[in-house]
Amino acid sequence: MARDRSENQQYGSTRQHEASEHEKRDLFGKDDSEGAAHVSDDRLEARSEAEAPLISDVSADVAPVVEEFMGQAAQQNEAAAEAVPETRNKPGSYISFEHVSKSFDGFVVLEDVSFCVLPGETLCILGRSGVGKSVSLHMLMGFLKPDSGTIRVAGDDITSYDERKMQIVRRKLTMVFQNGALFDSITVGENVAFPLRERGELTEEQILQVVKGLLEMVGVAGMEDILPSDLSTGMKRSVAIARALAAQPEAILYDEPTTMVDPLMAHLLGDLIERLKQQLHLTSIVVTHDMRFAKKLADRVVFLHAGKAHFFGTMEEMEKSDDPILREFLQLDELVMPNS
């Protein structure tokens, strides 16, 4: 591989890259450092589980190649975070929506929506069905264009990018779809190998080793020769995450990762997303209806309602809010998904 393995030893480190009070202020001037000081039990549990190095799940015969590969990804993501330009003399956001609106045939889905995601941060997008959660991700990926407003990725305004420019953005930013979006006609192993072969930087032997290690890392070891149609929904999402990691992205978007999966798989996916954030310094956006999942992962949340970003802040701030719309959403969630 291109880089010496000795340069990548920091990959296994579990040190926290905590944002300072100054960094906890978003580009629209809101200071949420006070709310961020309160950490829920779910977040504490997730942080504890995130300390287990990803490489510990990988077979010894492929571990050296996989460790170097993941080390490169971690270094790349740290460098990307440092490269994001400051905004108004404050640390810049890796992803931002600035007054974004989107309608379909006169039906307003998003109206003047603003939020941001700091480098290495996990943002959860919450809200009822049909409020534009997935639409927001599709606009970030360039599959849809906003009617107005600005969308930035890594400091660049991508709002009017054509397909050629968006292909460059998608090397930094990838998405894990609800259905996995795997290629049904090729095996799981070939799916994960696809972005590795596209880049052309590894030998075939190294590609096979990285594929094996990534599948072990996401909890679907030994499934290289299986077709996606033979997998459960949760396994498909795990394979989709492995394929996303093979592209060495700087940020991953997750669209309803726990929908139609059992509680154990949801727990495992949550652990994995948190470990990727802590150890690879990935920036993440998670669209979810699962409040326990959001509590476990979110540094901040944006709650969409009636086309607006009705709330943007920490989960603790949301739970303490007296806003009647937020209270109703939280109370309905407790009825549907009781904590037990």
Side-chain angles (χ1 to χ4, degrees), residues 87-112:
T87 303
R88 303 173 191 171
N89 297 319
K90 292 185 289 185
S93 301
Y94 188 87
I95 292 170
S96 67
F97 272 43
E98 302 170 22
H99 309 290
V100 170
S101 297
K102 181 66 179 177
S103 300
F104 295 98
D105 298 324
F107 178 75
V108 177
V109 177
L110 298 175
E111 184 179 5
D112 196 31

Side-chain angles (χ1 to χ4, degrees), residues 253-267:
L253 314 178
Y254 302 89
D255 191 7
E256 294 282 10
T258 60
T259 297
M260 297 179 65
V261 303
D262 62 80
L264 176 59
M265 179 58 76
H267 181 77

Side-chain angles (χ1 to χ4, degrees), residues 106-248:
F107 178 75
V108 177
V109 177
L110 298 175
E111 184 179 5
D112 196 31
V113 168
S114 296
F115 61 83
C116 65
V117 192
L118 296 173
E121 183 178 50
T122 297
L123 174 84
C124 285
I125 303 181
L126 304 174
R128 295 186 175 90
S129 298
V131 296
K133 301 188 299 294
S134 295
V135 167
S136 300
L137 300 190
H138 287 193
M139 286 195 289
L140 271 168
M141 293 298 295
F143 304 142
L144 297 171
K145 296 294 184 184
D147 298 331
S148 61
T150 301
I151 297 175
R152 299 183 190 276
V153 174
D156 297 327
D157 181 354
I158 68 165
T159 314
S160 59
Y161 274 15
D162 58 20
E163 181 60 22
R164 181 183 62 83
K165 289 184 176 179
M166 282 307 306
Q167 288 178 2
I168 298 173
V169 174
R170 292 176 197 138
R171 294 173 191 166
K172 304 177 182 179
L173 182 73
T174 190
M175 182 168 170
V176 175
F177 295 85
Q178 280 191 47
N179 62 3
L182 301 173
F183 301 121
D184 291 332
S185 59
I186 60 176
T187 65
V188 164
E190 292 296 312
N191 266 278
V192 178
F194 185 81
L196 297 170
R197 293 198 173 108
E198 269 201 323
R199 294 174 65 169
E201 297 175 359
L202 304 179
T203 67
E204 185 63 20
E205 181 181 0
Q206 288 173 328
I207 289 174
L208 295 178
Q209 289 179 318
V210 170
V211 168
K212 178 181 179 181
L214 289 178
L215 291 176
E216 291 174 339
M217 196 179 295
V218 302
V220 286
M223 296 190 177
E224 288 90 332
D225 297 327
I226 296 176
L227 290 172
S229 58
D230 295 327
L231 299 178
S232 68
T233 299
M235 288 178 176
K236 285 180 182 177
R237 292 201 187 130
S238 294
V239 173
I241 293 174
R243 186 177 64 179
L245 293 175
Q248 291 186 324

